Amino acid sequence: MVCNVTHDLDAAARSWQNDGYVLVEGLVPDVDIDAAMTRVWQMIPSPSAARSGAAPSTGYQEPKFRSSEEDGPGFRSEQFGGMYPAPFESITLNRLLIHPKIVEFVRLALDEHDVRLYQSILWAKYAGAANYEQPHHKDQNHSLIPARPEPGWWHLE
């Protein structure tokens, strides 16, 4: 379901609750995104720099299970280059993470007023910079136990 935020954010939240996903077009105004993008383009490397291996690193390195030369799916440390965890040096970019319209949608979708942001990253990925093929896996709530399906325990990504 595609919901236009200017018409019915409640319907978008219900769609997320029922279907597990929703696309909310126009949730954050373009002017707010454009203001943050100025800083994004200053932070991330150009595609040619990334492909040459010059992508800046945050120091975060996932365990390397396969070498870069091996074919096939595998987790490789170079897949995680160009990752910038929040908070950022840019106030404008940090504010985008907790934009009032995003918070409003999250509160409606989770049916909870007290919501918490526990992780956010800016991640630049470019074709040819790394072998991004990975084994089939599920990123969800980053917990060692399965996510509970009932309200009060939901996570929204």
Side-chain angles (χ1 to χ4, degrees):
M1 174 179 188
V2 177
C3 293
N4 186 326
V5 70
T6 59
H7 291 120
D8 195 350
L9 200 53
D10 288 312
R14 283 191 305 277
S15 180
W16 180 85
Q17 291 168 350
N18 295 329
D19 302 330
Y21 71 95
V22 67
L23 174 61
V24 185
E25 294 184 20
L27 179 65
V28 177
D30 290 346
V31 66
D32 295 336
I33 294 171
D34 291 345
M37 287 305 297
T38 299
R39 182 62 181 127
V40 168
W41 294 126
Q42 294 169 352
M43 292 172 61
I44 64 173
S46 69
S48 60
R51 278 190 285 280
S52 71
S57 174
T58 62
Y60 173 79
Q61 293 292 308
E62 189 71 17
K64 190 171 188 174
F65 299 111
R66 298 180 67 106
S67 75
S68 299
E69 294 77 34
E70 290 182 82
D71 289 331
F75 295 104
R76 300 168 179 87
S77 59
E78 59 271 14
Q79 293 172 335
F80 301 91
M83 182 185 288
Y84 301 87
F88 307 111
E89 293 179 11
S90 165
I91 292 171
T92 304
L93 192 50
N94 288 326
R95 286 185 177 156
L96 187 60
L97 303 176
I98 54 170
H99 191 280
K101 296 304 288 184
I102 293 174
V103 173
E104 179 184 359
F105 172 74
V106 169
R107 286 177 171 158
L108 289 169
L110 297 178
D111 194 23
E112 175 65 54
H113 182 78
D114 183 17
V115 297
R116 316 279 171 103
L117 173 66
Y118 76 92
Q119 178 183 19
S120 187
I121 61 171
L122 170 64
W123 196 349
K125 291 185 177 185
Y126 298 105
N131 181 345
Y132 292 109
E133 186 178 5
Q134 296 181 349
H136 181 71
H137 67 284
K138 180 179 180 182
D139 291 333
Q140 190 171 353
N141 70 349
H142 303 97
S143 174
L144 296 175
I145 58 175
R148 292 175 59 167
E150 67 268 16
W153 298 98
W154 289 335
H155 294 255
L156 193 147
E157 294 190 7

